């Protein structure tokens, strides 16, 4: 017994695994460390791809300075770093990393590979690591400047830790979204993208060169952006500067959103958070504010070596900083408190009971405009009829032109030319019935009815996840007008609401593609067919992930894959590829035409993002990619979300499409999913009774 209790030195391998468990506690820890490494490398764009909540794969791609070939042997060794030479350097550390533990820890609990290229070399090198050791000499590889780090099978050798994350992929992904969103707001000069490889969902996307307010608008929505107040103060005596944005009393959410950066490092600080909560209790009866703060302080005043994950720091004069923050923030909030006339709500108000003849008199301030023929928003501040080639009234009565962006007139897909010998890959039962349907043109076509188990499951998921409140609003609302390509106003009973057209359209198109599976009409490109190989090269060039011969080889591989899948794509999705040319694209929704400029990226995504090996994920990912492709016209890059329409014929055509195609279809067989609530897709701006009182006083 005494011998068993004798103190012994642990085996070095055990020590490394224990340390790894402290640094990489969960997938979000690895994402945070890799993201910070990319920032330290001076990257201007950072792409993060995750699969199964980061447990199966984490891929981080940046265009930073890269890693020298000679350093690849050391990069995954513990306490190997380029950011710290002696202990005193901690007094002036300005980078996120400094201990050299992150990659070493990841290589102990996952399979790690690194591809990196520096400016001084014409090609990069790929290195694979296991337990912190380079498995073989780095191999030369063509690639752009920067680094790609791949973390596969996280915790594959730690069964207890892996069991802890069983069934939590969605929750882990949301933790990653939370952290990446905060860095995307703070590092506004860097373009940061977060994509889930499971279904192609892009949760975070910002462009390089924007500012913090633009990114707050893009990532948290208009409801927050319209209530932002800036707070800024400094102290030369204590050598610090504080700047931030917080919402005024007109905004409140279910819970507080708090992000705090100290010398560009995302940290938690309960003292500052509690002080802000106490301060807002004077203004908000319930809910919480949005608060972003950055503290720039003399590095010698900060101790960053407090916690293994570096999410806690200590700094001098904390009490002074907190007191000054309260004084300046309270002053700013008090200035806007008296101007508040109503509270902007993120959630939809309850459905108001309609007044019947048997009820009491309807007063003027409760009357609701319900006639869609009455004046729209554009009548008051849009382009005048003299400035437009066709007035809004004429546009609404006129069909779109037969040619648009090189795409010729619609052709119904001839059902008897479809290839019924091109089944999906797995063995779900498929039965096809032929129904005769007479179109408005008088042409009779056969509609096929599919009984694919996986297709029925996807449709059931759509119906089961519906948000009934959103569905009611969209079904009963009156269209008011377009602000721009992305945002539009609708009126539902007594509420004026702002809608995110892009996110709603993505969901609408996804559902239409499932509903019209195997029965979609075509847009015909046969007069000017597009060469598939050239299209793929252009798409790969846009992504900037390959170069030279590598890009050529990759394009040929993707072309061969799509040629193999061509019968399936045409039979079920009306995407016709023949003899190396793209001849037809699906007509997904009425007069909504694809933008030919997005075709290269779409076909690259079709080849790379679709899960071809399993039936249900295959149907899901193809529908998602098609929906993203056709909704691209309604996505506005960061910084442009609130720009009005331009005064040209294309804008007039888009406005017609938004009102008469998109929102008209949203009134019918559309099931807005519950997840749209968290993205603030429909925001209740104000109640019309309140506006009536204001105008009455005027």
């Amino acid at each position: 017994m005494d011998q068993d209790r004798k103190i012994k030195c642990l085996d070095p391998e055990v020590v490394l695994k224990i340390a790894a468990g402290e640094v990489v506690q969960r997938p979000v820890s690895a994402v945070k460390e890799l993201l910070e490494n990319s920032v330290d490398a001076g990257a201007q764009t950072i792409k993060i791809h995750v699969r199964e909540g980061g447990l199966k794969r984490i891929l981080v791609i940046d265009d930073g300075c890269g890693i020298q070939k000679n350093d690849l042997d050391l990069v995954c060794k513990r306490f190997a770093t380029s950011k710290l030479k002696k202990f005193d350097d901690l007094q002036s550390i300005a980078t996120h990393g400094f201990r050299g533990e992150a990659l070493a820890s990841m290589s102990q609990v996952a399979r790690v590979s690194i591809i990196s290229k520096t400016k001084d070399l014409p090609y990069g090198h790929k290195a694979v690591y296991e337990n912190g050791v380079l498995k073989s000499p780095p191999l030369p590889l063509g690639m752009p400047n920067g680094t790609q780090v791949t973390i596969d099978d996280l915790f594959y050798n730690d069964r207890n830790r892996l069991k802890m994350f069983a069934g939590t992929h969605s929750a882990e992904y949301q933790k990653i979204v939370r952290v990446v969103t905060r860095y995307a707001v703070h590092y506004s000069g860097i373009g940061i993208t977060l994509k889930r490889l499971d279904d192609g969902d892009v949760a975070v996307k910002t462009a390089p060169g924007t500012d913090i307010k633009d990114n707050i608008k893009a990532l948290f929505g208009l409801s927050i952006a319209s209530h932002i107040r800036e707070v800024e103060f400094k102290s030369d005596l204590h050598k610090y500067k504080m700047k931030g944005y917080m919402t005024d009393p007109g905004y409140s959410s279910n819970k507080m959103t708090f992000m705090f950066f100290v010398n560009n490092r995302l940290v938690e600080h309960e003292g500052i958070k509690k002080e802000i909560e106490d301060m807002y209790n004077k203004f908000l009866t319930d809910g919480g504010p949005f608060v972003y703060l950055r503290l720039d302080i003399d590095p010698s005043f900060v101790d960053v070596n407090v916690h293994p994950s570096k999410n806690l720091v200590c700094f001098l004069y904390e009490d002074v900083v907190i007191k000054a923050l309260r004084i300046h923030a309270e002053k700013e909030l008090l200035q806007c408190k008296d101007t508040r006339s109503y509270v902007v709500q993120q959630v939809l108000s309850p459905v108001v009971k309609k007044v019947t003849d048997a009820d009491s008199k309807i007063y003027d301030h409760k009357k609701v405009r319900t006639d869609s023929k009455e004046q729209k928003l554009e009548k008051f501040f849009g382009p005048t009829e003299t400035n437009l080639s066709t007035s809004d009234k004429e546009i609404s009565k006129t069909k779109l032109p037969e040619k648009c962006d090189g795409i010729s007139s619609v052709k119904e897909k001839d059902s008897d030319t479809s290839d019924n010998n091109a089944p999906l890959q797995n063995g779900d039962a498929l039965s096809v019935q032929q129904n005769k349907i007479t179109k408005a043109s008088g042409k009779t076509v056969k509609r096929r009815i599919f009984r694919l188990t996986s297709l029925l499951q996807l449709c059931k998921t759509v119906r089961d996840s519906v948000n009934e409140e959103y569905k009611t609003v969209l079904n009963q609302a009156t269209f008011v007008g377009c602000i721009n390509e992305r945002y539009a106003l609708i009126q539902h009973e007594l509420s004026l609401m702002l809608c995110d057209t892009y996110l709603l359209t993505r969901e609408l198109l996804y559902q239409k593609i499932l509903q019209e599976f195997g029965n979609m009409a075509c847009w015909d490109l046969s007069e000017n067919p597009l060469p598939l190989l050239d299209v793929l090269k252009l798409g790969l060039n846009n992504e900037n992930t390959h170069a030279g011969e590598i890009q050529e080889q990759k394009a040929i591989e993707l072309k061969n894959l799509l040629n193999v899948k061509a019968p399936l794509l045409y039979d079920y999705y009306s995407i016709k590829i023949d003899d190396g040319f793209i001849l037809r694209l699906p007509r997904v929704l009425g007069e909504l035409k694809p933008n030919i400029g997005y075709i290269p990226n779409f076909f690259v995504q079709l080849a790379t993002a679709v899960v071809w090996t399993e039936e249900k994920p295959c149907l899901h990912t193809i529908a998602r990619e098609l929906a993203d492709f056709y909704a691209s016209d309604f996505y506005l890059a960061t910084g442009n979300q609130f720009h009005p329409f331009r005064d040209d014929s294309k804008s007039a055509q888009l406005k017609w499409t938004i009102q008469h195609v998109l929102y008209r279809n949203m009134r019918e067989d559309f099931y807005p999913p519950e997840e749209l609530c968290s993205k603030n897709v429909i925001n209740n701006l104000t109640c019309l009774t309140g506006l009536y009182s204001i105008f009455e006083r005027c």
Side-chain angles (χ1 to χ4, degrees):
M1 177 69 71
D2 292 339
Q3 291 296 325
D4 293 339
R5 295 174 64 88
K6 185 178 179 180
I7 296 176
K8 300 177 183 178
C9 290
L10 288 173
D11 185 275
E13 187 176 342
V14 177
V15 172
L16 290 172
K17 281 188 166 49
I18 292 173
E22 292 178 343
V23 176
V24 186
Q25 299 175 4
R26 56 195 330 129
V28 67
S29 308
V31 171
K32 178 176 178 289
E33 295 285 354
L34 294 175
L35 176 56
E36 290 177 345
N37 283 349
S38 296
V39 172
D40 288 342
Q44 293 301 302
T45 59
I46 303 172
K47 297 180 181 179
I48 304 166
H49 298 168
V50 299
R51 189 185 296 279
E52 295 184 11
L55 291 164
K56 189 65 178 174
R57 166 163 288 195
I58 299 171
L59 172 62
V60 178
I61 306 170
D62 68 54
D63 59 355
C65 62
I67 303 171
Q68 297 285 346
K69 178 189 175 184
N70 295 336
D71 291 340
L72 288 173
D73 186 36
L74 300 173
V75 74
C76 282
K77 288 188 177 180
R78 198 177 183 207
F79 303 132
T81 179
S82 63
K83 302 163 186 175
L84 192 68
K85 293 181 179 179
K86 55 185 184 296
F87 182 76
D88 290 343
D89 291 344
L90 279 175
Q91 303 301 314
S92 59
I93 195 76
T95 58
H96 294 90
F98 54 86
R99 285 193 298 257
E101 282 191 299
L103 284 170
S105 298
M106 292 177 210
S107 70
Q108 294 292 328
V109 294
R111 298 181 173 92
V112 177
S113 65
I114 298 176
I115 306 173
S116 190
K117 177 184 177 298
T118 56
K119 292 180 182 178
D120 56 338
L121 289 178
Y123 51 86
H125 290 86
K126 179 178 181 179
V128 180
Y129 301 87
E130 187 172 339
N131 295 328
V133 179
L134 187 64
K135 292 182 68 175
S136 59
L139 299 174
L141 188 70
M143 64 173 294
N145 294 334
T147 303
Q148 300 181 22
V149 181
T150 306
I151 309 296
D152 285 328
D153 301 321
L154 191 60
F155 305 126
Y156 76 97
N157 54 0
D158 187 345
R159 291 184 179 180
N160 291 333
R161 184 72 67 95
L162 199 58
K163 286 179 181 178
M164 186 176 74
F165 295 111
T168 64
H169 296 170
S170 179
E172 293 304 311
Y173 179 66
Q174 291 307 315
K175 288 180 173 64
I176 294 172
V177 171
R178 180 180 181 275
V179 167
V180 175
T181 299
R182 280 154 173 73
Y183 275 95
V185 167
H186 181 72
Y187 285 104
S188 53
I190 302 175
I192 298 178
T193 303
L194 172 63
K195 181 177 182 179
R196 181 164 55 188
L197 295 175
D198 308 67
D199 57 7
D201 176 66
V202 178
V204 178
K205 187 173 184 179
T206 60
T210 56
D211 60 32
I212 291 175
K213 291 183 72 174
D214 284 336
N215 286 353
I216 291 174
K217 293 174 186 176
L219 298 172
F220 289 92
L222 181 64
S223 58
I224 289 178
S226 59
H227 290 277
I228 284 292
R229 296 282 175 165
E230 184 174 345
V231 177
E232 186 172 2
F233 57 93
K234 66 178 182 178
S235 170
D236 295 331
L237 176 63
H238 300 108
K239 298 182 180 179
Y240 76 82
K241 178 182 178 181
M242 177 79 84
K243 182 177 181 179
Y245 298 94
M246 49 183 60
T247 48
D248 61 33
Y251 169 86
S252 69
S253 181
N254 294 331
K255 61 180 180 179
M256 178 179 179
T257 300
F258 176 70
M259 53 186 83
F260 181 46
F261 287 80
V262 177
N263 290 352
N264 296 318
R265 189 185 303 278
L266 178 63
V267 299
E268 301 289 339
H269 198 292
E270 289 302 320
I272 290 179
K273 186 176 181 181
K274 187 177 185 304
E275 193 72 20
I276 291 172
E277 288 175 338
D278 292 343
M279 178 183 65
Y280 269 94
N281 284 337
K282 295 181 179 180
F283 303 97
L284 302 177
T285 56
D286 57 2
F290 169 92
V291 178
Y292 159 82
L293 296 172
R294 64 172 295 167
L295 174 65
D296 295 311
I297 189 169
D298 189 327
S300 63
F301 292 176
V302 183
D303 184 359
V304 296
N305 194 26
V306 176
H307 193 275
S309 62
K310 295 172 287 190
N311 61 355
L312 297 175
V313 299
C314 296
F315 55 90
L316 293 179
Y317 311 120
E318 287 191 13
D319 293 341
V320 174
V321 172
I322 293 174
K323 183 178 179 181
L325 172 63
R326 174 140 195 168
I327 291 172
H328 287 85
E330 241 176 13
K331 180 181 177 182
E332 183 65 36
L333 294 178
L334 285 169
Q335 288 177 355
C336 60
K337 177 177 180 293
D338 295 334
T339 64
R340 181 178 57 162
S341 57
Y342 59 87
V343 177
V344 176
Q345 300 175 348
Q346 280 189 312
V347 295
L348 297 174
S349 57
V351 177
V352 182
K353 181 183 176 183
K354 293 184 178 178
V355 180
T356 63
D357 295 338
D359 291 324
S360 58
K361 177 184 176 182
I362 304 176
Y363 295 96
D364 288 341
H365 70 281
K366 287 191 175 181
K367 289 181 179 178
V368 179
R369 175 178 66 84
T370 57
D371 187 356
S372 61
K373 294 181 181 178
E374 293 188 23
Q375 292 175 337
K376 301 293 182 189
L377 189 66
E378 290 85 353
K379 180 71 175 178
F380 298 95
F381 58 83
T384 62
E385 291 191 9
T386 57
N387 293 332
L388 281 173
S389 58
T390 310
S391 69
D392 286 346
K393 185 176 180 181
E394 289 169 342
I395 291 173
S396 65
K397 293 181 178 180
T398 308
K399 276 196 171 184
L400 290 176
E402 290 299 315
K403 292 196 176 184
C404 175
D405 293 330
I407 300 174
S408 62
S409 59
V410 179
K411 290 186 178 181
E412 294 293 346
K413 181 179 171 185
D414 195 355
S415 62
D416 47 294
T417 64
S418 63
D419 185 1
N420 289 323
N421 296 317
L424 295 177
Q425 299 222 344
N426 285 348
D428 274 340
L430 168 65
S431 65
V432 181
Q433 298 178 12
Q434 306 289 350
N435 287 352
K436 290 187 177 181
I437 300 175
T438 302
K439 298 290 185 182
S441 61
K443 180 181 178 181
T444 301
V445 298
K446 296 178 181 178
R447 180 175 180 84
R448 304 184 298 170
I449 298 177
F450 293 84
R451 299 298 180 189
L452 279 167
T453 304
S454 52
L455 181 63
L456 296 175
Q457 288 174 349
L458 290 172
C459 293
K460 184 177 185 299
T461 301
V462 167
R463 291 191 297 271
D464 292 345
S465 63
V466 65
N467 182 293
E468 293 293 346
E469 194 172 11
Y470 274 15
K471 184 173 173 62
T472 301
V473 167
L474 291 170
N475 180 258
Q476 300 176 357
T478 301
F479 187 84
V480 176
C482 301
I483 295 176
N484 54 28
E485 293 95 325
R486 179 151 190 172
Y487 293 101
L489 291 173
I490 62 173
Q491 177 183 327
H492 177 246
E493 296 185 343
L494 298 179
S495 296
L496 183 66
M497 298 176 174
L498 179 72
C499 297
D500 190 323
T501 302
Y502 170 66
L503 293 179
L504 285 169
T505 299
R506 286 181 73 231
E507 293 301 326
L508 172 67
L509 296 177
Y510 172 75
Q511 294 178 24
K512 289 293 182 183
I513 291 163
L514 295 182
Q515 292 168 10
E516 297 299 316
F517 180 81
N519 292 286
M520 279 180 275
C522 304
W523 294 108
D524 189 23
L525 305 175
S526 57
E527 292 183 7
N528 296 290
L530 302 176
L532 179 59
L533 184 60
D534 291 346
V535 166
L536 291 170
K537 287 179 183 177
L538 185 58
L540 291 172
N541 187 54
N542 291 342
E543 289 194 350
N544 195 29
T545 56
H546 303 277
E549 295 181 3
I550 300 295
Q551 177 177 308
E552 178 86 19
Q553 182 181 353
K554 184 67 175 176
I556 292 172
E557 291 176 2
L558 299 185
K559 176 189 174 185
N560 293 337
L561 172 63
L562 292 177
N563 281 334
V564 172
K565 305 298 180 183
L568 179 149
L569 290 172
Y570 183 51
D571 193 26
Y572 300 129
Y573 297 100
S574 299
I575 301 173
K576 188 172 184 179
I577 300 171
D578 190 20
D579 198 23
F581 287 91
I582 304 167
L583 301 179
R584 291 187 180 184
L585 291 174
R587 181 182 178 183
V588 175
L589 184 66
E591 297 297 328
L592 180 63
K593 295 189 176 182
N595 188 326
I596 202 167
Y598 297 115
I599 286 178
N601 288 341
F602 166 64
F603 275 91
V604 170
Q605 288 296 106
L606 192 64
T608 58
V610 172
V611 182
W612 295 104
T613 55
E614 300 178 53
E615 183 169 288
K616 184 177 176 182
C618 177
L619 300 182
H620 170 73
T621 49
I622 292 177
R624 278 292 174 204
E625 293 303 330
L626 269 172
D628 287 348
F629 170 44
Y630 277 83
S632 298
D633 270 335
F634 311 103
Y635 174 78
L636 291 179
T638 304
N640 296 323
Q641 297 97 319
F642 309 105
H643 288 186
F645 269 114
R646 293 182 297 275
D647 183 9
D648 54 29
S649 59
K650 181 180 178 182
S651 297
Q653 194 175 75
L654 276 177
K655 282 193 281 188
W656 187 93
T657 301
I658 291 170
Q659 179 181 351
H660 296 283
V661 178
L662 301 183
Y663 280 89
R664 180 170 293 174
N665 276 275
M666 290 177 200
R667 294 174 62 92
E668 298 168 358
D669 194 19
F670 177 47
Y671 299 85
E674 198 68 50
E675 66 181 36
L676 291 183
C677 291
S678 62
K679 298 180 179 179
N680 300 323
V681 169
I682 300 179
N683 289 286
N684 189 5
L685 295 180
T686 185
C687 180
L688 298 183
T689 55
L691 289 180
Y692 183 90
S693 301
I694 295 172
F695 292 136
E696 191 177 40
R697 289 198 300 271
C698 295

